Amino acid sequence: MKCVILGAGKIARGFIGHLLYISEIPFIFVEKSDALADLINTRGEYTVNILGNSEKNCVVKGVEALSFQDEDKVVRAIAGADAVFTAVGGKNLGTLIPYLTKGIEEKAKKGGTLNIVTCENWKEPAALLRKGIEESICQETLSYVKEKVGITEAVIMRSAIESDPELLKKDPLIVNVQDFWELPVDASRLVGKLPPIKGLKLIWEFTGFLERKFYTYNAANGTTSYLGALLGYEKIADAAHDERILKILDGVYQETAQALSKKHHFPLEEQLAFTLTSKRKLQDYTIVDFIERNARDPLRKLGKDDRLVGSARLVQEYGIRPDNLCIAIAAAIYYVSPGDEFAVELERMRKEEGVDAVLEKVCQLDPKGELGMLIKEKIGLLKEWSWIHE
């Protein structure tokens, strides 16, 4: 069976490509950066470092990449594949639809099945792709899409971390990853079978699994990152050991756990146990991950459906007061990073237009609504604590 990986970033190389390679399944990357695609083709291999377990390090050999600029080759690769994995970042999923649509139209002429697996931290990525493809596909291929094309979701639990400059000089494609090997996939939306991938975990009762991960792991990551930034930390693990942050983080876990338990009917004890896996990851000193990387692009991460505001809205929907999540949101609103254009714009908006403008334009919240007022209350609290100095 042949596979295509749309994207060639750290998760694409350090998790999906790695698992396919050790499973001896042929694959090819498709990448928007011509420079990265050329580098992959020139070097033909890259190293995957397993943090804290170097004996499992792996050199992935015989790799190739196509550029999205070469549409004909990309379409042919999709048409010749048994499975396509996306790892482009949720906000870029829409750009894949034209390629997938044309590839499926070619695949339909050949026959057989095709499964598309989204590997994104995003809300309902499979539904987004299916809707876009079904709206774009030619009418005579629509029945093929509905009967022979599976579009499903994976949950990415392995972190991929940027390498230090010295390592990148030796191998500009090197990826440092967490020692985690399972790839949970929603089995209910597959057509036929996926290739026999090591670590693949097919889950039939998948409802809420991706949301569970997003509103547990991503909310906790955002909380630690933005509070850590306020307190002057550079590394996630250091911030995650600060007792002041831990108190708020544990409150965030409690809030999201109760809401997720109510929404998806998980036993609360099970969900609270799941939060511990997130906490252990944040506190793992072998994962040398920087707050700047995780806090980057606060305009997106303060969006109404993203890790913090989305979590707070979910918690509020199920009758729980999101006090700790609102502290995290307050910290994110005051995030400062001169090297991040989105953080610079957030700071400008906050200073020139005010917090209400940020709540309304970025978070899409009513500044005078219950959640907006609670966030402003927590901004006042952070100022009382002298965590915010404006």
Side-chain angles (χ1 to χ4, degrees), residues 103-141:
I104 290 167
E105 287 172 349
E106 289 298 312
K107 180 80 173 178
K109 297 172 186 175
K110 299 179 178 183
T113 61
L114 176 67
N115 281 298
I116 301 168
V117 183
T118 63
C119 304
E120 317 287 353
N121 278 322
W122 206 248
K123 190 174 182 180
E124 299 183 346
L128 186 157
L129 280 188
R130 182 168 284 283
K131 182 175 184 290
I133 289 168
E134 291 187 356
E135 288 176 350
S136 306
I137 206 91
C138 64
Q139 197 60 36
E140 55 267 31
T141 312

Side-chain angles (χ1 to χ4, degrees), residues 288-342:
V288 183
D289 199 5
F290 290 89
I291 282 172
E292 186 279 328
R293 185 185 81 85
N294 289 275
R296 196 180 298 161
D297 193 358
L299 293 179
R300 174 172 66 84
K301 291 171 183 173
L302 276 167
K304 75 181 182 81
D305 292 319
D306 216 287
R307 61 210 65 203
L308 296 176
V309 177
S311 295
R313 289 172 63 237
L314 173 72
V315 165
Q316 186 183 48
E317 181 184 345
Y318 284 88
I320 302 145
R321 184 177 159 95
D323 282 296
N324 294 282
L325 279 161
C326 285
I327 293 174
I329 295 166
I333 289 171
Y334 278 80
Y335 177 64
V336 175
S337 178
D340 177 352
E341 62 178 309
F342 303 107

Side-chain angles (χ1 to χ4, degrees), residues 146-172:
K146 292 182 176 180
E147 295 171 13
K148 299 293 185 180
V149 178
I151 306 178
T152 191
E153 298 168 357
V155 178
I156 303 301
M157 305 288 282
R158 174 187 276 190
S159 291
I161 311 301
E162 291 175 356
S163 298
D164 64 57
E166 287 303 312
L167 277 176
L168 286 172
K169 280 183 185 177
K170 296 177 185 176
D171 181 358

